[in-house]
mmCIF file of all heavy atoms in Angstrom:
data_model
loop_
_atom_site.group_PDB
_atom_site.id
_atom_site.type_symbol
_atom_site.label_atom_id
_atom_site.label_comp_id
_atom_site.label_asym_id
_atom_site.label_seq_id
_atom_site.Cartn_x
_atom_site.Cartn_y
_atom_site.Cartn_z
ATOM 1 N N LEU A 474 2.730 21.052 13.986
ATOM 2 C CA LEU A 474 3.613 20.837 12.886
ATOM 3 C C LEU A 474 4.520 19.569 13.214
ATOM 4 O O LEU A 474 5.038 19.503 14.276
ATOM 5 C CB LEU A 474 4.508 22.030 12.565
ATOM 6 C CG LEU A 474 3.802 23.374 12.223
ATOM 7 C CD1 LEU A 474 4.857 24.378 11.697
ATOM 8 C CD2 LEU A 474 2.738 23.151 11.133
ATOM 9 N N PRO A 475 4.763 18.771 12.166
ATOM 10 C CA PRO A 475 5.693 17.691 12.402
ATOM 11 C C PRO A 475 7.220 17.975 12.236
ATOM 12 O O PRO A 475 7.991 17.193 12.548
ATOM 13 C CB PRO A 475 5.211 16.671 11.330
ATOM 14 C CG PRO A 475 4.730 17.517 10.248
ATOM 15 C CD PRO A 475 4.135 18.742 10.872
ATOM 16 N N GLY A 476 7.416 19.160 11.600
ATOM 17 C CA GLY A 476 8.834 19.468 11.383
ATOM 18 C C GLY A 476 9.130 20.941 11.252
ATOM 19 O O GLY A 476 8.219 21.799 11.251
ATOM 20 N N ALA A 477 10.425 21.250 11.188
ATOM 21 C CA ALA A 477 10.847 22.613 10.995
ATOM 22 C C ALA A 477 12.092 22.674 10.141
ATOM 23 O O ALA A 477 12.860 21.723 10.082
ATOM 24 C CB ALA A 477 11.254 23.189 12.438
ATOM 25 N N VAL A 478 12.299 23.825 9.507
ATOM 26 C CA VAL A 478 13.522 24.029 8.819
ATOM 27 C C VAL A 478 14.256 25.171 9.447
ATOM 28 O O VAL A 478 13.707 26.301 9.633
ATOM 29 C CB VAL A 478 13.279 24.458 7.327
ATOM 30 C CG1 VAL A 478 14.639 24.867 6.635
ATOM 31 C CG2 VAL A 478 12.628 23.313 6.514
ATOM 32 N N TYR A 479 15.410 24.880 9.983
ATOM 33 C CA TYR A 479 16.240 25.918 10.579
ATOM 34 C C TYR A 479 17.018 26.566 9.497
ATOM 35 O O TYR A 479 18.049 26.043 8.961
ATOM 36 C CB TYR A 479 17.215 25.299 11.636
ATOM 37 C CG TYR A 479 18.153 26.278 12.183
ATOM 38 C CD1 TYR A 479 17.787 27.201 13.163
ATOM 39 C CD2 TYR A 479 19.466 26.344 11.657
ATOM 40 C CE1 TYR A 479 18.732 28.161 13.628
ATOM 41 C CE2 TYR A 479 20.356 27.296 12.176
ATOM 42 C CZ TYR A 479 19.963 28.214 13.114
ATOM 43 O OH TYR A 479 20.840 29.202 13.586
ATOM 44 N N SER A 480 16.589 27.770 9.050
ATOM 45 C CA SER A 480 17.155 28.435 7.862
ATOM 46 C C SER A 480 18.177 29.395 8.289
ATOM 47 O O SER A 480 17.924 30.347 9.053
ATOM 48 C CB SER A 480 16.017 29.149 7.101
ATOM 49 O OG SER A 480 16.525 29.800 6.059
ATOM 50 N N ASP A 481 19.444 29.172 7.891
ATOM 51 C CA ASP A 481 20.542 29.969 8.387
ATOM 52 C C ASP A 481 21.678 29.849 7.439
ATOM 53 O O ASP A 481 22.552 28.980 7.584
ATOM 54 C CB ASP A 481 20.905 29.536 9.756
ATOM 55 C CG ASP A 481 21.761 30.546 10.577
ATOM 56 O OD1 ASP A 481 21.884 31.652 9.943
ATOM 57 O OD2 ASP A 481 22.205 30.158 11.658
ATOM 58 N N ASP A 482 21.809 30.794 6.446
ATOM 59 C CA ASP A 482 22.922 30.731 5.516
ATOM 60 C C ASP A 482 24.252 30.952 6.190
ATOM 61 O O ASP A 482 24.530 32.017 6.761
ATOM 62 C CB ASP A 482 22.775 31.663 4.392
ATOM 63 C CG ASP A 482 21.696 31.281 3.415
ATOM 64 O OD1 ASP A 482 21.392 30.084 3.317
ATOM 65 O OD2 ASP A 482 21.050 32.182 2.745
ATOM 66 N N GLN A 483 25.081 29.925 6.179
ATOM 67 C CA GLN A 483 26.426 29.982 6.886
ATOM 68 C C GLN A 483 27.573 29.884 5.990
ATOM 69 O O GLN A 483 28.739 29.827 6.403
ATOM 70 C CB GLN A 483 26.449 28.863 7.915
ATOM 71 C CG GLN A 483 25.368 29.001 8.995
ATOM 72 C CD GLN A 483 25.116 27.659 9.658
ATOM 73 O OE1 GLN A 483 26.019 27.021 10.233
ATOM 74 N NE2 GLN A 483 23.795 27.243 9.697
ATOM 75 N N ALA A 484 27.346 29.677 4.642
ATOM 76 C CA ALA A 484 28.453 29.488 3.732
ATOM 77 C C ALA A 484 28.152 30.226 2.386
ATOM 78 O O ALA A 484 27.058 30.403 2.011
ATOM 79 C CB ALA A 484 28.636 28.014 3.478
ATOM 80 N N TYR A 485 29.317 30.561 1.786
ATOM 81 C CA TYR A 485 29.239 31.087 0.400
ATOM 82 C C TYR A 485 29.871 29.941 -0.514
ATOM 83 O O TYR A 485 30.233 28.849 -0.034
ATOM 84 C CB TYR A 485 30.067 32.310 0.249
ATOM 85 C CG TYR A 485 29.330 33.529 0.625
ATOM 86 C CD1 TYR A 485 29.966 34.775 0.573
ATOM 87 C CD2 TYR A 485 27.974 33.580 0.948
ATOM 88 C CE1 TYR A 485 29.296 35.950 0.900
ATOM 89 C CE2 TYR A 485 27.310 34.760 1.262
ATOM 90 C CZ TYR A 485 28.001 35.935 1.186
ATOM 91 O OH TYR A 485 27.364 37.114 1.513
ATOM 92 N N ARG A 486 30.045 30.310 -1.766
ATOM 93 C CA ARG A 486 30.696 29.350 -2.681
ATOM 94 C C ARG A 486 32.091 29.000 -2.218
ATOM 95 O O ARG A 486 32.663 27.983 -2.505
ATOM 96 C CB ARG A 486 30.745 29.886 -4.059
ATOM 97 C CG ARG A 486 29.502 29.692 -4.830
ATOM 98 C CD ARG A 486 29.560 30.534 -6.113
ATOM 99 N NE ARG A 486 30.450 29.844 -7.088
ATOM 100 C CZ ARG A 486 30.310 30.143 -8.387
ATOM 101 N NH1 ARG A 486 29.472 31.070 -8.853
ATOM 102 N NH2 ARG A 486 30.997 29.558 -9.285
ATOM 103 N N SER A 487 32.711 29.979 -1.590
ATOM 104 C CA SER A 487 34.152 29.744 -1.122
ATOM 105 C C SER A 487 34.243 28.958 0.230
ATOM 106 O O SER A 487 35.254 28.709 0.696
ATOM 107 C CB SER A 487 34.841 31.059 -0.945
ATOM 108 O OG SER A 487 34.179 31.906 -0.055
ATOM 109 N N GLY A 488 33.109 28.477 0.731
ATOM 110 C CA GLY A 488 33.105 27.748 1.976
ATOM 111 C C GLY A 488 32.414 28.523 3.113
ATOM 112 O O GLY A 488 31.735 29.509 2.855
ATOM 113 N N PRO A 489 32.571 28.024 4.365
ATOM 114 C CA PRO A 489 31.897 28.659 5.389
ATOM 115 C C PRO A 489 32.357 30.138 5.674
ATOM 116 O O PRO A 489 33.484 30.439 5.383
ATOM 117 C CB PRO A 489 32.300 27.848 6.674
ATOM 118 C CG PRO A 489 32.693 26.523 6.062
ATOM 119 C CD PRO A 489 33.177 26.801 4.678
ATOM 120 N N MET A 490 31.396 30.945 6.069
ATOM 121 C CA MET A 490 31.740 32.351 6.238
ATOM 122 C C MET A 490 32.670 32.538 7.485
ATOM 123 O O MET A 490 33.455 33.426 7.528
ATOM 124 C CB MET A 490 30.429 33.165 6.296
ATOM 125 C CG MET A 490 29.719 33.178 5.107
ATOM 126 S SD MET A 490 27.980 33.950 5.241
ATOM 127 C CE MET A 490 28.433 35.612 5.226
ATOM 128 N N LEU A 491 32.390 31.767 8.510
ATOM 129 C CA LEU A 491 33.178 31.776 9.726
ATOM 130 C C LEU A 491 33.864 30.509 9.954
ATOM 131 O O LEU A 491 33.326 29.405 9.535
ATOM 132 C CB LEU A 491 32.164 32.081 10.956
ATOM 133 C CG LEU A 491 32.761 32.417 12.273
ATOM 134 C CD1 LEU A 491 33.540 33.693 12.232
ATOM 135 C CD2 LEU A 491 31.695 32.497 13.348
ATOM 136 N N ASN A 492 35.009 30.561 10.496
ATOM 137 C CA ASN A 492 35.878 29.348 10.812
ATOM 138 C C ASN A 492 34.893 28.328 11.558
ATOM 139 O O ASN A 492 34.321 28.656 12.505
ATOM 140 C CB ASN A 492 37.003 29.803 11.733
ATOM 141 C CG ASN A 492 37.921 28.651 11.938
ATOM 142 O OD1 ASN A 492 37.563 27.556 12.111
ATOM 143 N ND2 ASN A 492 39.238 29.005 11.954
ATOM 144 N N PRO A 493 34.857 27.091 11.110
ATOM 145 C CA PRO A 493 34.016 26.031 11.794
ATOM 146 C C PRO A 493 34.345 25.936 13.264
ATOM 147 O O PRO A 493 33.431 25.617 14.031
ATOM 148 C CB PRO A 493 34.367 24.760 11.007
ATOM 149 C CG PRO A 493 34.761 25.235 9.673
ATOM 150 C CD PRO A 493 35.452 26.485 9.915
ATOM 151 N N LYS A 494 35.577 26.202 13.642
ATOM 152 C CA LYS A 494 35.879 26.067 15.107
ATOM 153 C C LYS A 494 35.138 27.156 15.834
ATOM 154 O O LYS A 494 34.618 27.031 16.986
ATOM 155 C CB LYS A 494 37.383 26.272 15.343
ATOM 156 C CG LYS A 494 38.176 25.022 14.965
ATOM 157 C CD LYS A 494 39.681 25.244 15.248
ATOM 158 C CE LYS A 494 40.489 24.181 14.645
ATOM 159 N NZ LYS A 494 41.873 24.580 14.359
ATOM 160 N N MET A 495 35.076 28.373 15.242
ATOM 161 C CA MET A 495 34.331 29.496 15.895
ATOM 162 C C MET A 495 32.848 29.220 15.822
ATOM 163 O O MET A 495 32.091 29.619 16.664
ATOM 164 C CB MET A 495 34.713 30.763 15.259
ATOM 165 C CG MET A 495 36.144 31.216 15.551
ATOM 166 S SD MET A 495 36.584 32.794 14.875
ATOM 167 C CE MET A 495 35.844 33.950 16.070
ATOM 168 N N MET A 496 32.345 28.596 14.736
ATOM 169 C CA MET A 496 30.974 28.260 14.703
ATOM 170 C C MET A 496 30.600 27.339 15.849
ATOM 171 O O MET A 496 29.603 27.569 16.555
ATOM 172 C CB MET A 496 30.644 27.462 13.367
ATOM 173 C CG MET A 496 30.642 28.277 12.113
ATOM 174 S SD MET A 496 29.452 29.695 12.113
ATOM 175 C CE MET A 496 27.901 28.827 12.232
ATOM 176 N N GLU A 497 31.439 26.370 16.197
ATOM 177 C CA GLU A 497 31.212 25.503 17.314
ATOM 178 C C GLU A 497 31.265 26.313 18.619
ATOM 179 O O GLU A 497 30.368 26.168 19.504
ATOM 180 C CB GLU A 497 32.157 24.341 17.354
ATOM 181 C CG GLU A 497 32.323 23.509 18.621
ATOM 182 C CD GLU A 497 30.932 22.970 19.135
ATOM 183 O OE1 GLU A 497 30.078 22.624 18.289
ATOM 184 O OE2 GLU A 497 30.792 22.871 20.359
ATOM 185 N N GLU A 498 32.349 27.138 18.696
ATOM 186 C CA GLU A 498 32.522 27.910 19.933
ATOM 187 C C GLU A 498 31.268 28.842 20.248
ATOM 188 O O GLU A 498 30.824 28.835 21.395
ATOM 189 C CB GLU A 498 33.758 28.774 19.814
ATOM 190 C CG GLU A 498 34.038 29.570 21.004
ATOM 191 C CD GLU A 498 35.244 30.570 20.864
ATOM 192 O OE1 GLU A 498 35.924 30.423 19.880
ATOM 193 O OE2 GLU A 498 35.333 31.540 21.687
ATOM 194 N N PHE A 499 30.773 29.450 19.260
ATOM 195 C CA PHE A 499 29.704 30.427 19.466
ATOM 196 C C PHE A 499 28.270 29.890 19.314
ATOM 197 O O PHE A 499 27.372 30.345 19.949
ATOM 198 C CB PHE A 499 29.891 31.730 18.574
ATOM 199 C CG PHE A 499 30.992 32.498 19.032
ATOM 200 C CD1 PHE A 499 32.219 32.410 18.557
ATOM 201 C CD2 PHE A 499 30.704 33.539 19.959
ATOM 202 C CE1 PHE A 499 33.238 33.199 19.013
ATOM 203 C CE2 PHE A 499 31.739 34.346 20.420
ATOM 204 C CZ PHE A 499 33.049 34.198 19.984
ATOM 205 N N PHE A 500 28.136 28.944 18.384
ATOM 206 C CA PHE A 500 26.780 28.455 18.009
ATOM 207 C C PHE A 500 26.499 27.054 18.354
ATOM 208 O O PHE A 500 25.352 26.598 18.273
ATOM 209 C CB PHE A 500 26.574 28.688 16.503
ATOM 210 C CG PHE A 500 26.652 30.139 16.082
ATOM 211 C CD1 PHE A 500 27.845 30.600 15.611
ATOM 212 C CD2 PHE A 500 25.559 30.960 16.169
ATOM 213 C CE1 PHE A 500 27.956 31.970 15.199
ATOM 214 C CE2 PHE A 500 25.678 32.293 15.835
ATOM 215 C CZ PHE A 500 26.840 32.800 15.343
ATOM 216 N N GLY A 501 27.518 26.236 18.699
ATOM 217 C CA GLY A 501 27.343 24.785 18.877
ATOM 218 C C GLY A 501 26.278 24.480 19.936
ATOM 219 O O GLY A 501 25.346 23.709 19.672
ATOM 220 N N ASP A 502 26.458 25.048 21.128
ATOM 221 C CA ASP A 502 25.473 24.793 22.214
ATOM 222 C C ASP A 502 24.036 25.185 21.765
ATOM 223 O O ASP A 502 23.049 24.520 22.103
ATOM 224 C CB ASP A 502 25.871 25.500 23.486
ATOM 225 C CG ASP A 502 27.113 24.862 24.130
ATOM 226 O OD1 ASP A 502 27.415 23.672 23.728
ATOM 227 O OD2 ASP A 502 27.730 25.480 25.048
ATOM 228 N N SER A 503 23.980 26.292 21.114
ATOM 229 C CA SER A 503 22.623 26.781 20.745
ATOM 230 C C SER A 503 22.055 25.817 19.740
ATOM 231 O O SER A 503 20.810 25.512 19.852
ATOM 232 C CB SER A 503 22.749 28.182 20.005
ATOM 233 O OG SER A 503 23.267 29.102 20.929
ATOM 234 N N PHE A 504 22.773 25.404 18.752
ATOM 235 C CA PHE A 504 22.249 24.482 17.737
ATOM 236 C C PHE A 504 21.789 23.184 18.414
ATOM 237 O O PHE A 504 20.740 22.624 18.104
ATOM 238 C CB PHE A 504 23.295 24.143 16.673
ATOM 239 C CG PHE A 504 23.492 25.262 15.636
ATOM 240 C CD1 PHE A 504 22.906 26.485 15.801
ATOM 241 C CD2 PHE A 504 24.218 24.987 14.499
ATOM 242 C CE1 PHE A 504 23.102 27.575 14.917
ATOM 243 C CE2 PHE A 504 24.422 26.043 13.564
ATOM 244 C CZ PHE A 504 23.836 27.212 13.781
ATOM 245 N N ARG A 505 22.591 22.691 19.369
ATOM 246 C CA ARG A 505 22.198 21.512 20.067
ATOM 247 C C ARG A 505 20.893 21.646 20.888
ATOM 248 O O ARG A 505 20.050 20.760 20.879
ATOM 249 C CB ARG A 505 23.350 20.951 20.940
ATOM 250 C CG ARG A 505 24.490 20.268 20.133
ATOM 251 C CD ARG A 505 25.552 19.704 20.944
ATOM 252 N NE ARG A 505 26.456 20.700 21.529
ATOM 253 C CZ ARG A 505 27.496 21.248 20.818
ATOM 254 N NH1 ARG A 505 27.775 20.737 19.609
ATOM 255 N NH2 ARG A 505 28.215 22.117 21.318
ATOM 256 N N ARG A 506 20.804 22.760 21.511
ATOM 257 C CA ARG A 506 19.573 23.036 22.295
ATOM 258 C C ARG A 506 18.356 23.142 21.326
ATOM 259 O O ARG A 506 17.291 22.697 21.657
ATOM 260 C CB ARG A 506 19.741 24.332 23.094
ATOM 261 C CG ARG A 506 18.521 24.523 24.065
ATOM 262 C CD ARG A 506 18.661 25.752 24.937
ATOM 263 N NE ARG A 506 17.388 26.148 25.329
ATOM 264 C CZ ARG A 506 17.000 27.409 25.448
ATOM 265 N NH1 ARG A 506 17.825 28.382 25.305
ATOM 266 N NH2 ARG A 506 15.753 27.676 25.882
#
Side-chain angles (χ1 to χ4, degrees):
Chain A
L474 299 192
V478 175
Y479 173 79
S480 176
D481 196 8
D482 285 335
Q483 299 159 54
Y485 275 178
R486 277 171 78 162
S487 57
M490 295 170 78
L491 188 65
N492 187 320
K494 284 181 194 157
M495 291 183 78
M496 286 300 296
E497 166 56 29
E498 180 187 343
F499 284 90
F500 299 95
D502 287 344
S503 300
F504 283 10
R505 282 184 283 277
R506 186 177 156 216

